Amino acid sequence: MKPWIRRLLPFTQWPRPSAQSLRKDAFAGITVGLVLIPQAIAYATLAGMPPVTGLYAALLPSIVGILWGSSALLAVGPVALTSLLTYAALHPLAEPESGQWVVLAIWLALYAGLIQFLLGAFRLGVIANFISNAVITGFINAAALIILLSQVPALLGLESQDFSTALAGLQRHLADADAAWLWTLAFGLGSIALLWLQKRFAPRLPGVLVVCVVGIAISALFGYQALGGNVVGLIPAGLPTPQWPPSLTLEQHRALLPAAVIITLISFTEAMASARTLPNPDGRLWNQNQELVGQGLAKITSGLSGAFPVSGSFSRSALNLYVGATSGWSALFAALCTLVCLLFFTGYLQHLPRAVLAAIIIVPVLNLIQPKAFLHLFRTSRDDGVVAVATFIATLIAVPYLHWGVLTGFLLAMVFFLYRRAHPRLIELGLDPAGTLRDRTLNGLPPIAPGVLSLRLDASLTYITAPLMDRFIRERLQKETDLRVILICASAVNDMDATGADTLSQLHQDLQRRGIRLALSGVKKQVRDRLAHIGLLQRLGDDNLFVNNREAIVALTAKTPVQD
């Protein structure tokens, strides 16, 4: 098969399924599909969308995502974090579940999908690495907390998400508990208890489905809606009709773009974390650019289906692996479950209490709150710990404009990155008894030989670091007038820009006028090529270029004259 065909149609590389593998994939896919259906409805409500759009987002996008992605087990569809980002982006612009809200969500999915697709098509997946783990840690913990707080009113049967109003409502219910509120409390807290017990004692069971079926049965049997309980309501049956969304104003398009970029980066980082931990049973290597293409097309498909942005789900992907999936066919069987539900079973969902949906959202999101992750970052790198905490706080303060939290963390991480690059480790080397070069000040070592200053820069020689090295050498020349050789151990210098090359060339000229040799050891090929390009390699001569430090030690200790 030609490479361009494999590139355009990656699913053509899937191995031919056997009867045994299809049975395993069917079981895994149906299991995941039974979890996906109630989760899709729950995440649609979290995104402020009509419940049926969750099923739309779980159908065609999951098929497109697995066909054009690179991970055989990554479950694509509605997820909590992307749904929250959708809600946060649209909250200032429209009323949840309104027609305008749906149109904005569709455009948001199209924009985020287009950005991801272009990043993958032009092989720019490395851009996702610019969002550091510290930023992701801070943002995910803050987002998880926001999700939990947003679901408390539905879980406890409160009418408002405003804290003071909700607290007043809770006090009224406690003082005079009506039947509908007591049922809501039972549905919400009971669902959390059942999901916890299922996860602990029967992890293979589709606990989310069990909770939904029990909730629907009890709600319908005892007339929960007639008592005033909050239920999902009638969900229209039938398949989504792909169509282009209505137009928006220029200001609305501009308002969606920052959120689309954040969704692109965060959702792909979330999917990337899942894909990296999932082995491909068919032996294919995971490719981040191909996964960007698949995720982008899935989002575009979700938008054209009338739904909201989707992403890769870690929990459903892990379940997919746990129950024995062997290939992407499992995702197709999961989509088949959604198809059957849309055609024949939406009528049964109207009695589903929204308190149950809140529990379905809360339980998996609890796993995202990890205070120990902050402690780990602080132990590993204080800078990363500060970035994570700053991102966490900024995200909470910026609600509902969550992208400011990510931007804060990104900018702070860049500041620390540039600070570290602007203050590289620059040390003077001395000769230890074993004949190697080590930090002279730290270990109390003598120089290589009298009149020799040897130093090492643990960074690339660039416009940021070159002035530091130049100043270090010139200050030593002022203090030690007997220096005759400057040896730069360049084994740690991986690159050199124009400023670095010019600085080194000017230093060589100044030293040459003063009768001082400039020598280099361990120069890497890319640096040697730059030196050759500006002619400095030839001016230095072979006598001042050493393959490694040992060769430099032998040459300089033999040739450097002892000063009187």
Side-chain angles (χ1 to χ4, degrees):
M1 186 178 298
K2 295 182 179 180
W4 65 269
I5 295 180
R6 291 197 299 268
R7 171 76 170 157
L8 291 177
L9 306 173
F11 54 87
T12 56
Q13 302 177 59
W14 288 11
R16 185 183 298 274
S18 64
Q20 182 181 9
S21 69
L22 276 179
R23 281 195 298 270
K24 290 182 177 179
D25 286 333
F27 175 76
I30 292 172
T31 302
V32 172
L34 295 177
V35 172
L36 170 62
I37 291 169
Q39 274 193 346
I41 296 173
Y43 293 148
T45 62
L46 178 60
M49 296 286 285
V52 70
T53 61
L55 298 177
Y56 293 165
L59 183 58
L60 293 178
S62 66
I63 297 174
V64 171
I66 197 66
L67 290 180
W68 272 272
S70 67
S71 175
L73 301 182
L74 184 63
V76 179
V79 297
L81 192 55
T82 304
S83 297
L84 174 66
L85 290 171
T86 300
Y87 183 89
L90 305 185
H91 185 265
L93 304 176
E95 185 70 23
E97 295 195 27
S98 65
Q100 185 67 13
W101 183 284
V102 173
V103 172
L104 289 168
I106 292 172
W107 277 104
L108 185 62
L110 293 176
Y111 277 132
L114 180 61
I115 294 171
Q116 278 194 334
F117 174 79
L118 292 176
L119 288 176
F122 290 101
R123 302 180 183 274
L124 298 175
V126 68
I127 290 178
N129 297 335
F130 281 72
I131 305 297
S132 68
N133 287 341
V135 176
I136 295 298
T137 297
F139 179 78
I140 287 181
N141 277 271
L145 186 59
I146 294 169
I147 291 173
L148 291 179
L149 294 176
S150 71
Q151 296 306 303
V152 167
L155 185 76
L156 302 181
L158 306 177
E159 290 76 17
S160 173
Q161 292 195 7
D162 178 74
F163 178 77
S164 58
T165 307
L167 184 60
L170 180 59
Q171 291 173 342
R172 287 197 306 272
H173 284 305
L174 291 174
D176 183 20
D178 59 88
W181 182 72
L182 291 174
W183 273 112
T184 301
L185 209 61
F187 280 127
L189 300 181
S191 297
I192 288 179
L194 284 175
L195 288 170
W196 181 83
L197 291 171
Q198 174 268 328
K199 182 179 179 181
R200 184 176 178 86
F201 298 107
R204 284 183 177 270
L205 289 179
V208 173
L209 178 69
V210 172
V211 166
C212 283
V213 171
V214 172
I216 290 172
I218 295 176
S219 173
L221 182 63
F222 290 94
Y224 172 64
Q225 184 178 9
L227 292 173
N230 191 5
V231 297
V232 169
L234 187 64
I235 296 179
L239 302 181
T241 303
Q243 58 184 340
W244 193 254
S247 60
L248 299 176
T249 65
L250 182 59
E251 288 302 317
Q252 288 174 319
H253 283 293
R254 287 177 177 173
L256 290 178
L257 286 177
V261 172
I262 295 299
I263 288 176
T264 294
L265 295 176
I266 297 297
S267 69
F268 180 64
T269 302
E270 184 182 23
M272 185 168 57
S274 301
R276 282 175 173 171
T277 58
L278 295 172
N280 259 343
D282 55 17
R284 286 185 297 142
L285 295 177
W286 180 75
N287 185 300
Q288 66 177 5
N289 290 312
Q290 187 61 53
E291 196 60 52
L292 271 169
V293 170
Q295 293 282 321
L297 291 176
K299 284 182 174 62
I300 293 173
T301 304
S302 184
L304 295 178
S305 298
F308 50 96
V310 296
S311 185
S313 168
F314 182 80
S315 61
R316 293 197 299 271
S317 299
L319 177 62
N320 205 20
L321 176 64
Y322 183 72
V323 294
T326 65
S327 70
W329 281 94
S330 63
L332 302 183
F333 283 108
L336 181 61
C337 290
T338 306
L339 175 66
V340 172
C341 178
L342 275 169
L343 292 177
F344 306 109
F345 293 102
T346 56
Y348 296 98
L349 298 174
Q350 63 178 319
H351 297 291
L352 180 61
R354 291 200 178 242
V356 174
L357 292 181
I360 292 173
I361 293 172
I362 287 173
V363 171
V365 167
L366 282 171
N367 296 325
L368 298 178
I369 300 179
Q370 298 178 344
K372 290 183 178 179
F374 292 94
L375 296 177
H376 172 72
L377 287 172
F378 271 108
R379 292 192 188 104
T380 306
S381 168
R382 184 175 298 178
D383 291 352
D384 285 345
V386 171
V387 168
V389 171
T391 303
F392 177 81
I393 295 173
T395 302
L396 294 179
I397 293 175
V399 173
Y401 303 100
L402 302 186
H403 59 276
W404 288 111
V406 177
L407 184 61
T408 299
F410 171 76
L411 292 177
L412 187 57
M414 287 296 102
V415 168
F416 282 130
F417 176 82
L418 292 174
Y419 180 84
R420 289 193 295 268
R421 292 301 179 272
H423 297 79
R425 190 164 180 257
L426 179 60
I427 58 173
E428 181 183 355
L429 300 173
L431 186 62
D432 70 2
T436 59
L437 297 180
R438 300 176 65 188
D439 189 327
R440 183 184 175 191
T441 303
L442 182 64
N443 298 282
L445 300 174
I448 293 178
V452 176
L453 171 64
S454 56
L455 58 106
R456 186 183 73 221
L457 175 69
D458 291 341
S460 297
L461 194 62
T462 65
Y463 70 96
I464 296 176
T465 59
L468 299 176
M469 187 187 72
D470 184 70
R471 184 177 182 84
F472 180 88
I473 293 173
R474 294 182 187 278
E475 287 180 349
R476 292 300 299 272
L477 288 172
Q478 288 181 350
K479 295 178 182 178
E480 302 177 31
T481 57
D482 60 342
L483 290 177
R484 294 294 177 265
V485 179
I486 306 296
L487 172 65
I488 299 176
C489 301
S491 58
V493 179
N494 295 318
D495 195 13
M496 176 186 293
D497 66 3
T499 302
D502 292 342
T503 300
L504 204 58
S505 179
Q506 184 63 48
L507 179 64
H508 173 253
Q509 292 179 17
D510 294 346
L511 293 175
Q512 197 173 40
R513 284 195 296 266
R514 300 169 64 169
I516 300 175
R517 293 173 58 191
L518 176 63
L520 305 175
S521 68
V523 181
K524 294 185 176 179
K525 182 182 183 302
Q526 59 269 34
V527 177
R528 181 181 287 269
D529 291 343
R530 295 285 176 88
L531 297 178
H533 185 72
I534 63 173
L536 181 57
L537 204 64
Q538 183 179 3
R539 295 197 301 273
L540 285 171
D542 294 338
D543 290 344
N544 293 316
L545 293 171
F546 304 105
V547 175
N548 50 49
N549 292 341
R550 185 171 296 277
E551 182 179 298
I553 293 170
V554 172
L556 295 177
T557 53
K559 293 182 180 181
T560 302
V562 178
Q563 302 296 317
D564 295 331

